[in-house]
Amino acid sequence: MAVIGFHASHEQIAPAQLLADVQLAEQAGFGAAMCSDHLEPWSARQGHSGFAWSWLGAALATTKLRFGVVTAPGQRYHPTVIAHASATLASMFPGRFWFAPGSGENINEHVTGDGWPAKDVRQRRLEECVHVIRQMHDGEVVTHRGLVTVEQARIWDVPDPKPDIIAPAISPDTAARAAAWADGLVTVNQPAEQLRKVLGAYREHGGKGKAVLQVHLSWAPEEDTAVEIALDQWGSNVFPSFVGADLPTPAYFDAVSTMVGEQQIRQSVNVSADTGRHAQWLQEYLDLGFDELYLHFVGQEQKPFIHAFGQDVLPQLA
C-alpha cells in the first residue's frame, strides 16, 4: 500500500510551528514525513531555516511517523558528522529514519569559504562520503584520503538496523549513477515522461528499494489564492537544477525570479482549488511506480491544507 507523507519545509516555517504541523499531519492521516536540511531559505519571503537534525529528534520522539531528510555531506558537513547523526537517530528510533545524501547546493555550502566545485567533482565527493558513512555504520574504524579526508573515525553506537541511504536525483543520468550505491530513489514532481525516465534509469541500472516522490502543490479554497501562494512562496524554485545548485544566496534567487508568472509556476507546482484534481495528480504519480509520495504544500500556513487533504484527498488514495 502506498505511503502518503507530509513534507516539512524548514525553509518556510519556524521549527516550533513545523513540529506542531507534523503532529497535526499525523492526526490527519499522513503516514510518514520528510524534510530537507538547509542553512538558507530559497527566498527572503520564506524567511526560515531551522536545523533539521535537531528538529528530527523532536519530531521522531513526539510522533510515530517514519522520517527522512535530504542532506549534503562533503563541504558544510564532514561525512563523519552525517554518519554520526544518522546513526544516533537510527539507533534511537529503529526502522523509522532514512536519509538522502546529495551533492548539495551552493546556497547552503558557500559559508565554509571553500570554492564551489563543478557538478562532476561534487558527485565524486558525494560517492566518497557515502562510502565512508556506510563503513562507519558497519562499525569500522575508517581512514580515507581523497576529495574528503577521514582519519581513524569510528561510531561506537552502531545502528541496527542501519538507516536506508536514499539517492536524491532529478535527472536520469544522476539516477542511473546512484543505482550503484543507493537503497532507494527520491525525486521531485516533473512532467510524467521525465519522471518515467528518471525512475527507469534507476531501475534499469540495478537500482533497488523504494521510489519516493516529493510533490510540490498549492491548494486554497479559491484558485486565485492558490496561484498567489505558489508565486509568492515557490516562484524562486522554478529553474533547472543546475541553476538552483549554483546560486549562492536567497537574494540571487529573489533577483532571478522577479518575472516568474502563473504559467511558469504551474510547471513546477500542482496548483488547483479542487482537491479532487490533486487526488488525480497524486494517483497518476503512484501509477508511474512511486511507492511513497510526500506532499509539500508550498504555503506557510499548513493547517487548512492538512485538514482539507486529510478529509478529502488521503481517503481517495487509500
Side-chain angles (χ1 to χ4, degrees), residues 25-249:
E26 180 183 34
Q27 296 168 19
F30 286 84
M34 68 171 288
C35 65
S36 55
D37 175 13
H38 267 238
L39 183 66
E40 298 262 20
W42 298 106
S43 165
R45 293 187 303 279
Q46 294 176 346
H48 297 280
S49 200
F51 186 50
W53 294 94
S54 300
W55 183 87
L56 281 163
L60 282 157
T62 59
T63 72
K64 295 181 180 180
L65 299 177
R66 186 164 45 84
F67 280 80
V69 61
V70 181
T71 188
Q75 188 158 330
R76 181 166 53 111
Y77 294 128
H78 195 271
T80 60
V81 175
I82 298 299
H84 195 189
S86 57
T88 296
L89 288 177
S91 296
M92 293 176 69
F93 307 101
R96 291 180 54 206
F97 174 71
W98 57 268
F99 68 105
S103 59
E105 295 108 357
N106 194 21
I107 191 171
N108 300 307
E109 311 303 323
H110 73 273
V111 295
T112 65
D114 298 324
W116 182 234
K119 172 63 175 178
D120 64 316
V121 177
R122 301 199 308 272
Q123 193 63 41
R124 294 199 306 272
R125 182 175 68 181
L126 168 63
E127 289 160 1
E128 289 186 20
C129 289
V130 170
H131 180 64
V132 166
I133 292 166
R134 287 200 184 277
Q135 287 181 298
M136 293 183 69
H137 282 182
D138 285 337
E140 298 179 24
V141 178
V142 179
T143 294
H144 175 90
R145 300 183 184 99
L147 292 171
V148 293
T149 300
V150 181
E151 294 289 344
Q152 296 182 312
R154 177 181 178 181
I155 290 173
W156 288 85
D157 290 289
V158 176
D160 183 20
K162 300 177 182 68
D164 283 343
I165 302 180
I166 308 297
I170 295 177
S171 71
D173 288 344
T174 301
R177 182 164 179 162
W181 58 260
D183 298 319
L185 176 77
V186 59
T187 188
V188 298
N189 59 294
Q190 305 179 68
E193 185 56 36
Q194 182 68 6
L195 288 175
R196 286 192 191 94
K197 291 178 180 177
V198 172
L199 186 53
Y202 181 71
R203 297 299 189 202
E204 289 161 12
H205 286 79
K208 59 185 179 180
K210 63 189 179 185
V212 177
L213 182 67
Q214 182 192 101
V215 181
H216 304 306
L217 64 93
S218 186
W219 169 87
E222 301 295 333
E223 187 82 9
D224 288 348
T225 304
V227 172
E228 290 171 5
I229 290 170
L231 285 170
D232 178 71
Q233 285 293 298
W234 215 245
S236 55
N237 292 72
V238 301
F239 305 103
S241 59
F242 66 86
V243 176
D246 287 345
L247 295 180
T249 67

